[in-house]
Amino acid sequence: MIYTFSINTEKENMYDITKNVQKAVDESGVKNGIAVVYTPHTTAAITINENADKYVVMDILFGLNTFLHNRPEFLHDEGNSSAHLKSSLVGCSEQAFVEEGKLVLGVWQSFFFCEFDGPRTRKYMVKVIEC
Amino acid sequence: MIYTFSINTEKENMYDITKNVQKAVDESGVKNGIAVVYTPHTTAAITINENADKYVVMDILFGLNTFLHNRPEFLHDEGNSSAHLKSSLVGCSEQAFVEEGKLVLGVWQSFFFCEFDGPRTRKYMVKVIEC
Amino acid sequence: MIYTFSINTEKENMYDITKNVQKAVDESGVKNGIAVVYTPHTTAAITINENADKYVVMDILFGLNTFLHNRPEFLHDEGNSSAHLKSSLVGCSEQAFVEEGKLVLGVWQSFFFCEFDGPRTRKYMVKVIEC
């Protein structure tokens, strides 16, 4: 079973999607395993990082823009090559363990959907491996 | 079962390997699950990104070279530390879901083998989890 | 079963944890599958890279510091936003295949626990999928 979720994004942001990942785990009925989160977009990504201080997300986005900004030499005429680059570096999937039906995340960890080229209506999907 | 593929690479490029990943899924007989792609090299990587406009790949490679170039301070005497760094940032594995025997990729998504320090004969491997 | 390991880290380093990952594979009894390694921290990461020349690790750490350094514009007042950024780019999980009870790593590959904001006592966890 693939659990699919939609999200309406801004130009650029990171959205805490942990509740929906846990919901997929709940619906799967898997007690022990691995939850894999995937996004089918090439200018977005999935990551796990800090959920406590909103400045962490702001600094990650600012850092990515500072260090991986668009370059005048880029050839792709949609002008979003920086977003494609971020997508491959952060990655389109991330995973966490499940124990007794609950995601085993660190105290400060959440799953985030990363939008690098919005606003758009985006999708992300969850699958749970029993193991 | 591990499905292993060989690829002859240039100095640096990203190769669309989606057909071989789908071939591994076909041979596995798994209808619903996750296909995991892995490369056993430390100056290469696996990613998923856009397959439509070849300039996206060119911009990603150019961007990685611009932002993660070799530095005179690097100590590793093979002179390819930039390629090792790219390998850890892009990652040596990526995965996508399988539904009814088909990879569930976005419209513009393909799996890519990333060569950062060729030319060489390289390997990548696929395993399919049923779940 | 989740196999959990502790590690005491320095300010910043990459630690070869392959022996413990193999130990988890051994204890799991899984002969063919995938070993997934995860860290529940937001300023650390898991990667696979070269284990032969210690300068590779030093160059990766130097490269990350050079290219993803802290910026005066960062807002998170713990002053470790660079470490959060590295964590999302390298990633909090990595995986390798298992065949006949052994990790299928390349000749030069090892699993590494990456500390970007130590010294601390950290954890990493291993789960083995049979497939």
Side-chain angles (χ1 to χ4, degrees):
Chain A
M1 183 74 184
I2 296 175
Y3 301 90
T4 303
F5 300 91
S6 278
I7 185 168
N8 292 313
T9 61
E10 297 144 284
K11 185 175 190 315
E12 186 178 65
N13 212 340
M14 289 169 59
Y15 302 91
D16 190 332
I17 58 172
T18 309
K19 279 183 187 168
N20 281 341
V21 181
Q22 180 63 53
K23 193 182 293 181
V25 172
D26 294 346
E27 292 189 15
S28 75
V30 172
K31 294 302 173 204
N32 295 286
I34 302 176
V36 181
V37 185
Y38 182 87
T39 183
H41 306 289
T42 58
T43 53
I46 304 293
T47 194
I48 291 173
N49 214 299
E50 180 177 323
N51 54 23
D53 178 4
K54 68 180 179 188
Y55 289 138
V56 171
V57 160
M58 292 171 67
D59 289 353
I60 289 174
L61 292 168
F62 177 86
L64 291 173
N65 280 333
T66 305
F67 300 124
L68 303 168
H69 52 80
N70 273 308
R71 298 274 311 186
E73 299 92 339
F74 284 167
L75 300 166
H76 180 48
D77 65 10
E78 289 185 32
N80 61 355
S81 289
S82 165
H84 285 286
L85 187 52
K86 292 172 190 171
S87 177
S88 272
L89 289 172
V90 177
C92 64
S93 77
E94 193 48 272
Q95 53 201 348
F97 295 163
V98 174
E99 194 168 41
E100 297 183 11
K102 297 291 166 206
L103 288 167
V104 183
L105 292 167
V107 182
W108 311 110
Q109 283 185 319
S110 279
F111 274 99
F112 287 91
F113 179 92
C114 308
E115 173 62 80
F116 299 130
D117 189 38
R120 304 203 199 188
T121 300
R122 298 287 207 173
K123 285 197 303 183
Y124 56 95
M125 300 181 287
V126 183
K127 232 169 154 27
V128 190
I129 305 163
E130 189 157 19
C131 63
Chain B
M1 184 72 186
I2 296 176
Y3 301 90
T4 303
F5 300 91
S6 278
I7 185 167
N8 291 314
T9 61
E10 296 144 284
K11 185 175 191 314
E12 185 177 67
N13 211 340
M14 289 169 58
Y15 302 91
D16 189 333
I17 58 171
T18 309
K19 279 183 187 166
N20 280 341
V21 181
Q22 179 62 54
K23 193 182 292 181
V25 171
D26 293 346
E27 292 189 17
S28 76
V30 172
K31 294 304 171 200
N32 294 286
I34 302 176
V36 182
V37 185
Y38 182 87
T39 183
H41 307 289
T42 58
T43 52
I46 304 293
T47 195
I48 290 174
N49 214 299
E50 181 177 323
N51 54 24
D53 178 3
K54 68 180 178 187
Y55 289 139
V56 171
V57 159
M58 292 171 66
D59 289 353
I60 288 174
L61 292 169
F62 177 85
L64 290 173
N65 280 332
T66 305
F67 301 125
L68 302 168
H69 52 81
N70 273 308
R71 299 274 311 186
E73 298 93 337
F74 284 167
L75 300 166
H76 180 49
D77 65 10
E78 290 185 31
N80 61 356
S81 289
S82 165
H84 285 286
L85 186 53
K86 293 172 190 171
S87 177
S88 273
L89 289 173
V90 177
C92 64
S93 77
E94 193 47 272
Q95 53 201 348
F97 296 163
V98 174
E99 194 170 40
E100 298 182 9
K102 298 290 166 207
L103 288 167
V104 183
L105 293 167
V107 182
W108 312 110
Q109 283 185 319
S110 279
F111 275 98
F112 287 90
F113 179 91
C114 308
E115 173 62 78
F116 299 131
D117 189 38
R120 304 204 199 187
T121 300
R122 299 286 208 173
K123 285 197 302 181
Y124 57 95
M125 300 181 287
V126 183
K127 233 172 152 27
V128 191
I129 306 164
E130 189 158 18
C131 64
Chain C
M1 185 71 186
I2 296 176
Y3 301 90
T4 303
F5 300 91
S6 278
I7 185 168
N8 292 314
T9 62
E10 297 144 284
K11 185 175 189 314
E12 185 177 66
N13 212 340
M14 289 168 59
Y15 302 92
D16 190 332
I17 58 172
T18 308
K19 279 183 187 167
N20 281 341
V21 180
Q22 180 62 54
K23 192 183 293 182
V25 171
D26 293 347
E27 292 189 17
S28 75
V30 172
K31 294 302 171 201
N32 294 287
I34 302 176
V36 181
V37 185
Y38 182 87
T39 183
H41 306 289
T42 58
T43 52
I46 304 294
T47 195
I48 290 174
N49 215 299
E50 181 177 323
N51 54 24
D53 178 4
K54 69 181 177 186
Y55 289 137
V56 171
V57 159
M58 291 171 66
D59 289 352
I60 289 174
L61 292 169
F62 178 85
L64 291 173
N65 280 332
T66 305
F67 300 124
L68 303 169
H69 52 81
N70 273 309
R71 298 274 311 186
E73 298 92 337
F74 283 167
L75 300 167
H76 179 49
D77 65 9
E78 290 186 32
N80 61 356
S81 290
S82 166
H84 285 285
L85 186 53
K86 293 172 191 171
S87 176
S88 273
L89 290 173
V90 177
C92 64
S93 76
E94 193 48 270
Q95 53 200 347
F97 296 162
V98 174
E99 194 169 40
E100 298 182 11
K102 297 292 166 205
L103 288 168
V104 183
L105 293 167
V107 181
W108 312 110
Q109 283 185 320
S110 279
F111 274 98
F112 287 90
F113 179 92
C114 308
E115 174 62 81
F116 299 130
D117 189 39
R120 305 202 198 187
T121 300
R122 299 288 208 172
K123 284 196 304 181
Y124 57 96
M125 300 181 288
V126 183
K127 231 172 153 29
V128 190
I129 305 165
E130 189 159 18
C131 64

